[in-house]
Amino acid sequence: MKIAIASGKGGTGKTTVAVNLALSADNAQLLDADVEEPNANLFLHTKFSEERKVTVYVPEINKDRCTYCGECSKFCAYNALAVVPNKVLVFADLCHSCKGCELVCPEDAVGWRNREVGMLRRGEQNGISVVEGDLNPGESQAIPVIKAVKQEINLEKTVIIDAPPGTSCPVMEAIEDSDFVILVTEPTPFGLHDLKLAVDVTRRMKLPFGVVINRYGVGDKRVELYCQQEEIPVLLKIPHETLIASLYSDGEPFVNHMPALKQDFQELLTRIKQEVSS
Amino acid sequence: MKIIVTATEKDLNAPVDPRFGRCQYFITVDSETLEFNALENNQKNAMGGAGVQAAQTVSNAKVDAVITGAVGPNAFQTLKAANVKIFTGATGTVKDAVDAFKNGSLEETDMSTVGSHHGMGGGRGRRR
Ligand code: SF4
Ligand code: SF4
């Protein structure tokens, strides 16, 4: 079973939910696909046993063959190529590795090289396997790193995917073909606004989903009312408590210290399992 | 000399468009006869790489120089490789810019004048 944890914006407690859920499941695999800021492991403290580079293909032009005809640049939908009278300029950070330039080149002058866009790390600790994707600083190609993370999915386990915040392409890549999506929000006007955006994307992707309200007790009831009107299940309300906040700032998952909450998370998992299999 | 000025409308009285990659029009002007023609920038709403594409357009037009407000690093690199002189910081109308170019009051730029960015669909900044 694959459960993706998403939220319309950052800082709502998405990673907190992912980590605590993983710790409450037996045999969990946690995939940190929030590749711009992979922080799940700040709470899990896994020692990674494996690390490899994630690379993408970018064109390399064979100067001996190129006639500077400009076909490749005309074709490239991402504007990653410019052809001037005696040079082809490749803007690697704009390239999406579609390989179309190779197809249209009449001189067979387009070759390929690897470009590193991020790192993939794996480790195992306390029965949880952790896979972390880490996009290189300043890098814009998040999708290939997210894809690499998702290639590690082990369906024998309860797979928990910490998606990037927001509603852009990387989010869709991360939550695509999950069995269930948990949208994490806060009971505030901003939280509601971003939740609506996330609900919209998740519905369009036709994925079953439910909501977890974090810091329940701050703000107002509008998130709950909205969920009621839209018939969206509120799966869990994590109370706004000093103990939770202080555990958080110590990098400690609260389920390790608050058995009642751990039970809530276990029930949440059971409920999702039932919904997925029904 | 043949030059391209970026503009918000399609004639010589149009204001200079300070954005290079996302300008409305490219106006090609003969600096002596003031003959001109306007080309719409169909990449102005590109998700990314608008600067590269604009530089490609300028390069294809085989002009000697380009006058605009500011150019980013990718466009700058492309224009340099195409041997097009770059004049930035132009204001007023296209005609004002051509006059300023002719009397030498525009300064040629030898580095990109705006920072890199990833267009409208771009990634959010890394906060760590
Ligand atoms: S299409 Fe091929 S030959 Fe033409 S400019 Fe591009 S690389 Fe060179
Ligand atoms: S691989 Fe695709 S995106 Fe990359 S340069 Fe070639 S055509 Fe452009």
Side-chain angles (χ1 to χ4, degrees):
Chain A
M1 184 173 61
K2 290 177 279 183
I3 306 171
I5 322 292
S7 73
K9 71 168 172 101
T12 53
K14 177 178 61 61
T15 300
T16 307
V17 170
V19 166
N20 285 292
L21 195 61
L23 287 167
S24 309
D26 339 300
N27 199 18
Q29 182 188 36
L30 181 82
L31 305 186
D32 198 341
D34 185 1
V35 300
E36 286 194 49
E37 283 178 76
N39 355 1
N41 201 45
L42 296 180
F43 301 95
L44 289 170
H45 317 286
T46 307
K47 238 177 95 65
F48 291 115
S49 53
E50 236 183 283
E51 183 176 72
R52 67 173 169 87
K53 289 177 180 148
V54 180
T55 59
V56 293
Y57 287 117
V58 290
E60 193 164 55
I61 309 300
N62 181 340
K63 290 194 185 72
D64 298 330
R65 303 188 79 113
C66 179
T67 56
Y68 309 99
C69 69
E71 288 302 320
C72 53
S73 152
K74 232 185 274 170
F75 175 84
C76 180
Y78 300 102
N79 298 327
L81 296 166
V83 181
V84 300
N86 52 14
K87 198 173 179 186
V88 178
L89 294 95
V90 180
F91 297 98
D93 56 332
L94 295 173
C95 173
H96 283 59
S97 311
C98 74
K99 294 203 165 183
C101 44
E102 182 179 21
L103 286 178
V104 299
C105 174
E107 308 296 337
D108 204 9
V110 180
W112 301 96
R113 68 176 177 89
N114 280 329
R115 183 172 79 89
E116 183 192 323
V117 290
M119 298 302 285
L120 187 91
R121 300 188 188 96
R122 286 163 47 129
E124 197 116 3
Q125 193 150 308
N126 306 328
I128 302 180
S129 16
V130 181
V131 180
E132 171 184 287
D134 190 1
L135 190 67
N136 285 352
E139 178 57 59
S140 58
Q141 302 291 344
I143 305 272
V145 182
I146 295 171
K147 282 203 160 105
V149 169
K150 289 187 75 178
Q151 260 164 23
E152 302 293 326
I153 285 178
N154 177 353
L155 286 174
E156 313 266 288
K157 296 180 184 275
T158 302
V159 180
I160 293 162
I161 304 166
D162 189 3
T167 46
S168 60
C169 303
V171 179
M172 295 168 74
E173 183 68 42
I175 69 176
E176 199 190 8
D177 42 71
S178 339
D179 299 303
F180 196 88
V181 181
I182 296 178
L183 299 176
V184 183
T185 189
E186 287 181 342
T188 61
F190 287 125
L192 178 60
H193 173 263
D194 297 312
L195 175 64
K196 285 179 180 168
L197 299 176
V199 165
D200 188 45
V201 170
T202 317
R203 275 191 177 146
R204 271 196 248 181
M205 293 178 73
K206 300 196 168 38
L207 296 169
F209 66 97
V211 165
V212 167
I213 304 177
N214 191 25
R215 307 214 308 139
Y216 185 73
V218 303
D220 53 38
K221 297 267 175 211
R222 272 183 284 181
V223 166
E224 274 173 282
L225 276 174
Y226 165 77
C227 290
Q228 219 166 52
Q229 281 159 3
E230 295 283 322
E231 295 178 19
I232 300 167
V234 174
L235 305 163
L236 183 64
K237 299 165 189 169
I238 301 170
H240 180 55
E241 271 179 31
T242 349
L243 179 56
I244 292 179
S246 73
L247 285 169
Y248 178 87
S249 53
D250 293 341
E252 259 305 296
F254 52 70
V255 292
N256 290 349
H257 303 267
M258 304 169 85
L261 268 170
K262 182 163 186 168
Q263 206 178 339
D264 287 343
F265 271 98
Q266 280 161 343
E267 278 161 20
L268 169 73
L269 273 169
T270 314
R271 182 167 167 193
I272 292 175
K273 255 178 212 155
Q274 276 163 0
E275 276 195 40
V276 168
S277 56
S278 68
Chain B
M1 253 206 264
K2 241 171 85 174
I3 49 185
I4 279 183
V5 186
T6 58
T8 58
E9 279 152 59
K10 44 186 169 185
D11 60 53
L12 294 184
N13 295 319
V16 170
D17 196 327
R19 302 160 303 177
F20 177 65
R22 299 188 186 281
C23 70
Q24 298 291 322
Y25 292 96
F26 299 103
I27 314 249
T28 311
V29 194
D30 184 313
S31 59
E32 302 315 309
T33 65
L34 290 188
E35 259 178 81
F36 73 96
N37 77 67
L39 180 69
E40 197 178 340
N41 179 9
N42 56 16
Q43 288 285 330
K44 57 175 176 280
N45 298 320
M47 289 288 281
V52 174
Q53 199 49 46
Q56 181 74 68
T57 304
V58 171
S59 168
N60 292 351
K62 307 222 174 324
V63 293
D64 303 288
V66 62
I67 303 175
T68 186
V71 291
N74 292 350
F76 179 81
Q77 210 188 322
T78 308
L79 292 168
K80 273 281 144 189
N83 267 323
V84 177
K85 293 193 171 70
I86 308 158
F87 296 88
T88 52
T91 51
T93 65
V94 173
K95 186 152 180 319
D96 295 339
V98 174
D99 288 340
F101 168 75
K102 285 208 292 194
N103 67 33
S105 62
L106 283 183
E107 217 167 298
E108 195 179 338
T109 309
D110 51 16
M111 54 180 207
S112 83
T113 44
V114 288
S116 175
H117 57 86
H118 294 292
M120 303 194 300
R124 82 204 141 102
R126 231 178 137 92
R127 284 179 312 223
R128 291 203 287 228

